[in-house]
Amino acid sequence: MPITIIDPQSALVVIDLQKGIVAMPTVHPTAQIVTNAVRLARAFRLQKRPVVLVQVYWAPDFGDAVKTRNQTPAASRKMDPDFYDYVPDLEANSATDILIHKRNWGAFYGTDLDLQLRRRHITNLVLCGISTSIGVESTARDAWERAYQLTFVTDAMTDMNAEAHERSIKTIFPRIGELGTTEEVLAKL
């Protein structure tokens, strides 16, 4: 469904635009994804609307990482020292942005995201980031179950897998929210 409205009480939620993740191979060039997310973040900040920057982060010993049979053990991964850092263009600011540190796919589980949003009376989440079928979709499903209105910015998200990206965009997201481009979202603010 195309974007009909961006609620006055909306927040931008940017998933995992951090140095280690944007360096991974993706379906769409991450430079354009970052550029679009930055444009959205600046517009939301200009209008005094919350910007939520989500990053996946684990303890140095990976003791807090998911350990299931089908997950690659985080401790076996080689992480660059700046893997967790937000991309600089996002201009993350702990004084003005809501910074969420997650340890799972979705941004709600094990974090205070819902509390942060509800205390600000947020009703609509505008979602973007990497990866479409994992971080964005997991967060969106959790948000939908909490009755948030959802808007997906399709040119500000990408995935490591083209089929998974398309499945989220064409099958899942239209069932739980509205979809549009960066320009369409900016026009509705």
Side-chain angles (χ1 to χ4, degrees):
M1 172 179 227
I3 299 173
T4 57
I5 189 170
I6 302 290
D7 295 354
Q9 293 301 113
S10 62
L12 175 67
V13 180
V14 182
I15 304 291
D16 298 344
L17 289 189
Q18 56 196 78
K19 290 180 181 178
I21 292 180
V22 299
M24 294 178 177
T26 58
V27 175
H28 305 96
T30 57
Q32 189 59 51
I33 303 307
V34 169
T35 296
N36 289 338
V38 166
R39 289 181 64 213
L40 291 162
R42 287 180 179 156
F44 270 73
R45 289 177 184 129
L46 189 64
Q47 292 191 9
K48 306 288 188 229
R49 295 180 190 220
V51 173
V52 179
L53 300 178
V54 180
Q55 71 182 160
V56 63
Y57 187 93
W58 298 289
D61 68 353
F62 295 100
D64 54 355
V66 174
K67 297 170 194 74
T68 61
R69 286 189 290 269
N70 60 337
Q71 284 290 104
T72 303
S76 70
R77 300 179 190 153
K78 181 178 179 344
M79 303 295 215
D80 290 330
D82 62 352
F83 179 92
Y84 302 113
D85 296 346
Y86 293 109
V87 293
D89 292 351
L90 277 177
E91 301 169 335
N93 184 334
S94 61
T96 58
D97 298 330
I98 301 169
L99 305 181
I100 299 294
H101 307 284
K102 67 181 176 106
R103 288 160 179 81
N104 298 293
W105 287 359
F108 283 93
Y109 182 80
T111 74
D112 68 345
L113 178 57
D114 191 47
L115 176 68
Q116 293 284 349
L117 296 170
R118 294 207 186 275
R119 287 191 174 172
R120 289 168 174 83
H121 307 286
I122 299 301
T123 57
N124 183 193
L125 303 183
V126 177
L127 293 150
C128 64
I130 301 173
S131 85
T132 310
S133 67
I134 297 177
V136 177
E137 184 174 318
S138 294
T139 300
R141 286 174 181 253
D142 286 349
W144 182 81
E145 290 175 352
R146 289 168 172 81
Y148 288 101
Q149 300 299 320
L150 300 175
T151 304
F152 299 97
V153 191
T154 56
D155 64 350
M157 64 178 72
T158 191
D159 204 291
M160 285 69 169
N161 179 294
E163 184 178 318
H165 173 79
E166 289 300 315
R167 182 186 155 279
S168 295
I169 297 276
K170 292 183 178 174
T171 305
I172 302 301
F173 294 167
R175 295 188 70 188
I176 60 176
E178 299 179 339
L179 288 77
T181 64
T182 299
E183 291 300 327
E184 290 169 330
V185 170
L186 293 173
K188 296 284 186 184
L189 287 180

